[in-house]
Amino acid sequence: MEVTETLQRTEPTHAWRPDLTLAHEQLAPRLEAFYRDLHAHPELSMQEQQTAAKVARWLRHSGYEVTEEVGRHGVVGVLRNGPGPTVLLRADMDALPVEEKTGRPDASRVRVKDSHGGTVPVMHACGHDVHITCLMGVAELLAHSQHHWRGTLMMVAQPAEETLEGARAMLRDGLYERFGKPDVALAQHVGPLQVGIVGHHPGASMMASANVRVRIFGKGGHGSQPHLTVDPVVIAAYLVTRLQTIVSREVDITRGGAVISVGSLHAGSRSNVIPDEAVLELTVRTPTDDLQGQLLEAISRMAKAECEAGRSPKPPEIEVMHHTRVMVNDDSYFTRVRSAHAAWFGEDRIIDTGMQSGSEDFPYFDGRVSGESHGATVPLVYWYFGGTSHEAWKRAAGKTLWEKLRNLPPNHSSRFDPSVDSLRFGCESMLLAALACLDEEPKKGAEPRGLH
């Protein structure tokens, strides 16, 4: 797609839109203040107490029945408005152990203890502060325009998306048993796309993911006498290289791409001491769930073989720390949501992102936590929306959309910096999706007034 002037429009195309009783000029300042507070005070996965408390206060003020501590720090807000479908809207709350380098006035300076006991910086480097703020905006807008829709809203603020454990924690804590199974679950993600662009992809849209830890045991000793030791560093080094042959030599290229990346390797503390053990942590990304199983088996097989070849005193410990399935959009609801976005924002604002190598634990909101389906599963729809301001987008090098994306800070970067304009855009994108699932037909006589 060429970058054209049509992408610089700030007004939507003409389309039906509910006449919202709460004007944007009243809501926008509070949303921005809420967002900047979240950004300046991020919390790591499963540490989201303060964020959850802020979410709960907002939802209660908007008239929702609120339950806290669902799946540890999860928050659920329910608003019933007569007979009709139940629509779940989900946003994630956790931040990352990243030191912020955006230079923003509200940049995070937070440092906390992580789950391993180390002190780390914390930043909303993935945009979850934007997600939560948009969820709060939509919650209030829908609560103040109940004459435009019927059904039940289930607002879910989820902990620990980054560690892929929060969705299952909420489901295992009885999310659907306690609050009812929704007819559809919706979620969105901000990214470095330009504000005004919405990204969709039908069917399988995000890869399956698994985080694996391998602990290799050796026999420590003096660095000058390696013949008296079993060096776990050497075993680990061979394993890191060997793991790269799984995708290149064991995966059928017609099954699509897959990735095994070692992101962490820790061993020893002194140059002249051979340690007793080495620990690797790696990520696995696959386009299908069964291929994930194949790669995990291969990782285990190779780790055991390398340890045996290296005379390790005992087999390695292999732990799948967190994992998630492929994200698959439901065909029917996907069409509803995409059509609503195209009708309001304009077809030229909609792009096909293709299948993303990133992963999410949102797929577990289909209700299949244990891997077995008990009854009808919940349809899911997941999409992306732009967070880069028009000014930053113009400054970015490149002529096409994809060229510019390569030159902008991505999610998880210490310089990832969504524009405040993305709040309005994200609210609109989720509001349209929710209304498309709550009401298929517009109310006659409603005037096309939006958040602009």
Side-chain angles (χ1 to χ4, degrees):
M1 176 187 289
E2 293 290 333
V3 179
T4 66
E5 286 305 310
T6 60
L7 298 184
Q8 308 303 324
R9 286 187 289 107
T10 58
E11 295 299 324
T13 59
H14 292 291
W16 174 83
R17 183 63 180 279
D19 178 21
L20 301 173
T21 59
L22 183 65
H24 173 57
E25 56 267 22
Q26 295 175 322
L27 178 59
R30 290 193 293 114
L31 279 181
E32 181 175 343
F34 186 84
Y35 164 61
R36 293 193 181 282
D37 178 54
L38 292 184
H39 189 83
H41 303 97
E43 295 177 294
L44 292 177
S45 304
M46 289 302 184
Q47 297 183 16
E48 308 96 339
Q49 299 97 320
Q50 296 304 313
T51 303
K54 295 168 187 176
V55 167
R57 282 196 297 270
W58 187 291
L59 290 175
R60 285 196 181 96
H61 180 76
S62 298
Y64 288 74
E65 301 172 16
V66 177
T67 304
E68 300 178 67
E69 299 182 354
V70 180
R72 195 165 179 176
H73 297 308
V75 180
V76 179
V78 176
L79 183 63
R80 297 176 177 85
N81 188 29
T86 297
V87 177
L88 184 154
L89 306 181
R90 172 271 204 173
D92 32 20
M93 296 187 289
D94 54 331
L96 287 160
V98 172
E99 183 176 0
E100 182 162 358
K101 298 178 181 178
T102 62
R104 292 169 47 152
D106 58 355
S108 170
R109 295 174 177 80
V110 173
R111 299 183 70 88
V112 300
K113 296 284 187 181
D114 64 11
S115 59
H116 303 294
T119 300
V120 296
V122 189
M123 175 192 173
H124 269 298
C126 200
H128 294 186
D129 48 350
V130 175
H131 301 170
I132 286 292
T133 303
C134 291
L135 185 70
M136 296 301 96
V138 172
E140 186 163 325
L141 289 167
L142 288 171
H144 285 80
S145 58
Q146 294 183 45
H147 56 290
H148 286 298
W149 59 274
R150 291 293 180 268
T152 299
L153 289 169
M154 187 186 302
M155 299 293 177
V156 173
Q158 181 206 307
E161 184 279 327
E162 296 293 355
T163 55
L164 303 178
E165 57 186 329
R168 275 174 292 181
M170 295 191 76
L171 268 294
R172 286 171 175 155
D173 199 15
L175 178 67
Y176 291 164
E177 292 79 8
R178 295 163 63 182
F179 306 100
K181 181 176 282 190
D183 292 280
V184 63
L186 309 174
Q188 62 181 1
H189 206 301
V190 68
L193 291 165
Q194 182 186 10
V195 169
I197 299 295
V198 185
H200 283 286
H201 185 67
S205 61
M206 297 186 82
M207 288 192 173
S209 172
N211 298 330
V212 183
R213 179 184 291 128
V214 180
R215 187 179 300 274
I216 297 171
F217 300 98
K219 178 184 175 184
H222 202 288
S224 67
Q225 298 176 312
H227 60 288
L228 300 178
T229 73
V230 174
D231 193 341
V233 178
V234 173
I235 298 173
Y238 275 113
L239 179 58
V240 169
T241 303
R242 182 75 174 178
L243 290 174
Q244 304 312 308
T245 68
I246 296 175
V247 172
S248 66
R249 291 297 177 268
E250 297 191 24
V251 175
D252 184 345
I253 61 173
T254 63
R255 299 185 67 186
V259 170
I260 297 176
S261 295
V262 178
S264 172
L265 199 170
H266 291 278
S269 58
R270 295 286 298 267
S271 61
N272 62 347
V273 178
I274 292 174
D276 288 322
E277 63 180 46
V279 178
L280 291 76
E281 293 188 359
L282 51 134
T283 187
V284 179
R285 305 296 172 109
T286 60
T288 64
D289 295 328
D290 63 328
L291 184 56
Q292 182 188 80
Q294 177 186 334
L295 265 58
L296 292 176
E297 182 281 326
I299 290 168
S300 177
R301 167 168 42 86
M302 288 187 176
K304 292 173 181 176
E306 287 294 348
C307 287
E308 183 177 354
R311 300 181 296 116
S312 183
K314 59 180 180 178
E317 290 181 357
I318 303 167
E319 176 189 4
V320 179
M321 298 179 291
H322 310 292
H323 64 92
T324 189
R325 301 193 303 264
V326 173
M327 171 61 219
V328 181
N329 284 311
D330 176 80
D331 290 340
S332 177
Y333 281 103
F334 171 85
T335 299
R336 288 196 202 185
V337 172
R338 189 196 181 284
S339 297
H341 287 162
W344 181 245
F345 296 118
E347 186 64 41
D348 63 324
R349 299 275 192 97
I350 312 299
I351 66 168
D352 189 328
T353 61
M355 190 178 194
Q356 295 293 295
S357 59
S359 300
E360 259 272 7
D361 66 350
F362 182 65
Y364 289 104
F365 282 97
D366 72 358
R368 295 181 297 140
V369 176
S370 65
E372 298 294 330
S373 177
H374 301 283
T377 59
V378 175
L380 307 176
V381 184
Y382 191 95
W383 67 94
Y384 305 88
F385 67 100
T388 300
S389 69
H390 299 309
E391 293 74 19
W393 185 263
K394 289 177 182 178
R395 291 195 302 267
K399 295 182 178 179
T400 70
L401 180 147
W402 303 110
E403 288 174 353
K404 284 181 173 289
L405 283 178
R406 286 195 291 269
N407 292 291
L408 287 165
N411 299 74
H412 289 217
S413 164
S414 61
R415 292 179 170 83
F416 183 62
D417 185 15
S419 166
V420 171
D421 292 339
S422 67
L423 302 179
R424 180 191 68 190
F425 182 47
C427 282
E428 290 222 334
S429 119
M430 181 162 272
L431 178 66
L432 289 163
L435 289 170
C437 297
L438 287 163
D439 272 333
E440 292 185 301
E441 297 294 333
K443 300 293 187 297
K444 291 183 179 180
E447 297 178 7
R449 259 178 47 195
L451 298 181
H452 302 272

